[in-house]
Amino acid sequence: MILTSIRRPALAVLAAAILASGGMQAGTAAAAGSAPSATILLDGYPLAFPAQPIIQNGTTMVPFRAIAEALQIPVEWNAAGKTVTAVKTTDKGQRKVVLRQGSKQATVDGAAAQLGAAPVQKNGTVLVPLSFFSSAFGAQVSWNGATRTVSIVSPPEKLYTKAYYAIKSYSQVKQLGRFDAVAFGWGRIGEDGRLTLKGKDFYWPQADGDVTPESIVAGAGAAGGLTEFMVFSGDAKGELTKMLGDSSLRAETVKGIVDAASQGGFKSIDLDFEGLGMTGDKAAAAQSFNVFVKELRAASKAAGLGLSLSLHPLNGSYKGYDYKTLAQLSDEIAIMAYDYEQGGKPEPLAKVDEAIRLALKETDRSKLLLGINFNSETALSLSGPAGLAKRYGLKGIALWRLGPGLVDADSLTALERTVKLRGPAEG
């Protein structure tokens, strides 16, 4: 089920409230219900504008339930007592807000709090002062009169995060404890269609004194993160198609991946198999990948290992990925919703949004991570894709990749304006 029907209209109402009040101050036109048109952005991405709030004695009143649920805050209405209760769960505990229709006094975590106006009920909806909602739950809102743009910034939230450690990532090894999972890109399918731990990009690193690949993995695991052995393959020379179409090569590859993951001390496997379904029989490509993943799932499960998949988005050029079946065969899917444009520009959020919505038609949000490519994003643009992951209630985000100038201390500082990470920041 997609959250669009809850999250977007609700937050658009919040933005409409700002417009209707002339940017936090109620205006004559707004009171008459004639708010002008405007652009409304949530974390940098446009929202629909489905409804108007009301102005009561100069106070902007907004639908409490709609906005609260948009920020994933459950709301309960007690008809007998005419009270509305909302409980926000955070990494620091819970915040409980109780409002009573017709009363200017509310309670926040049991303490009395005064409202600028009493909550009212209109057509079955309880409306409360915007200012109280903002102070209680932390959504930041601004109004640019010159461009007639409402900008809404969601508060930073704890979100499951996965980082990829591959290709010159060692300088960021101290950041591994900041993530819930780390995928180590140390294997690939070679041109002969066989698993190899050697090569130019994705290969098993050499030990350097006491620092070994196994010690890096053990350290990440000791810090509390899930460690994954990532295997990459492209299909530029048909190597992936060759392996998937040969039952003996598939069996050899499955065994090799499971053995490498087990011997390296990993807890899970991540497949990054790219390039299927650009040309040729797309359905056949998808079916062959399904067969391989099913075989790998059985073997990895027997070995006590998890299985994750990093997949091209469904609105990309590669059509050889059956999300519905693959989601059933794996623990999670990272949607690689990037590289829509060349040149290292921030990804077009409309395409990222579409990729999420298409994936949600195939599987539940609890299995989906949104891939974010730090080759494309900037400190200012990161809140866009991260905000979409929060808006849709996805399991989390997957960050490509750890390395100088990419997912490093500076970029993590920028990311934490919208997503709270594990562990202390490292310089």
Side-chain angles (χ1 to χ4, degrees), residues 89-402:
T89 301
T90 70
D91 55 326
K92 295 182 179 179
Q94 290 186 332
R95 165 158 286 194
K96 182 178 181 180
V97 172
V98 181
L99 307 172
R100 184 181 300 276
Q101 182 180 332
S103 173
K104 287 187 177 182
Q105 184 161 306
T107 62
V108 178
D109 294 336
Q114 198 70 16
L115 301 175
V120 297
Q121 190 176 78
K122 295 289 184 181
N123 300 321
T125 298
V126 175
L127 299 106
V128 301
L130 172 62
S131 58
F132 174 78
F133 178 85
S134 299
S135 63
F137 295 114
Q140 299 179 28
V141 182
S142 63
W143 162 243
N144 186 321
T147 61
R148 305 208 64 77
T149 300
V150 173
S151 296
I152 305 168
V153 179
S154 60
E157 297 177 7
K158 180 68 182 75
L159 199 64
Y160 183 92
T161 55
K162 175 178 181 173
Y164 295 93
Y165 181 103
I167 315 173
K168 301 179 182 177
S169 290
Y170 183 70
S171 64
Q172 301 305 315
V173 69
K174 58 189 174 183
Q175 306 293 352
L176 296 184
R178 311 223 56 207
F179 307 103
D180 297 289
V182 180
F184 295 81
W186 293 346
R188 69 173 297 153
I189 304 302
E191 292 182 8
D192 61 357
R194 288 180 163 82
L195 174 70
T196 179
L197 304 183
K198 300 178 181 180
K200 182 179 67 173
D201 294 327
F202 300 92
Y203 56 87
W204 198 271
Q206 294 293 315
D208 184 6
D210 293 336
V211 179
T212 66
E214 292 81 4
S215 71
I216 294 174
V217 173
L226 175 69
T227 54
E228 299 185 324
F229 173 51
M230 189 189 97
V231 181
F232 170 82
S233 182
D235 202 32
K237 296 186 177 181
E239 60 268 41
L240 183 53
T241 296
K242 179 179 181 179
M243 186 272 291
L244 294 177
D246 186 319
S247 60
S248 62
L249 272 180
R250 287 201 314 270
E252 179 184 327
T253 300
V254 165
K255 184 178 186 305
I257 291 174
V258 171
D259 287 350
S262 299
Q263 294 166 13
F266 296 95
K267 300 301 181 185
S268 186
I269 294 165
D270 183 284
L271 288 188
D272 180 9
F273 282 8
E274 303 183 15
L276 292 175
M278 179 70 169
T279 59
D281 190 331
K282 299 172 179 58
Q287 177 60 24
S288 67
F289 188 43
N290 288 348
V291 169
F292 178 79
V293 173
K294 183 176 181 180
E295 293 170 349
L296 180 60
R297 179 62 164 183
S300 61
K301 188 174 183 180
L305 299 169
L307 178 61
S308 301
L309 306 175
S310 299
L311 303 180
H312 289 296
L314 289 171
N315 61 347
S317 300
Y318 300 98
K319 305 299 182 182
Y321 301 90
D322 173 7
Y323 266 59
K324 185 174 183 179
T325 299
L326 294 173
Q328 295 170 351
L329 294 171
S330 62
D331 299 318
E332 66 187 21
I333 289 175
I335 311 167
M336 298 189 295
Y338 40 75
D339 293 340
Y340 290 107
E341 297 180 351
Q342 301 298 318
K345 300 177 182 178
E347 299 300 331
L349 292 178
K351 298 293 288 185
V352 176
D353 177 53
E354 181 184 47
I356 295 171
R357 289 186 284 107
L358 289 172
L360 284 169
K361 291 181 179 180
E362 304 300 318
T363 189
D364 187 78
R365 64 178 61 87
S366 64
K367 283 213 168 186
L368 294 174
L369 306 178
L370 179 64
I372 299 177
N373 188 344
F374 276 66
N375 284 298
S376 304
E377 305 302 333
T378 67
L380 294 177
S381 71
L382 278 173
S383 62
L388 283 174
K390 294 194 296 182
R391 188 187 308 193
Y392 282 104
L394 303 186
K395 177 180 178 178
I397 56 178
L399 309 174
W400 178 263
R401 64 174 168 80
L402 285 165

Side-chain angles (χ1 to χ4, degrees), residues 41-62:
L41 304 176
L42 169 61
D43 294 322
Y45 186 65
L47 291 167
F49 192 86
Q52 298 284 347
I54 66 170
I55 305 299
Q56 180 173 281
N57 299 323
T59 299
T60 303
M61 306 290 288
V62 297

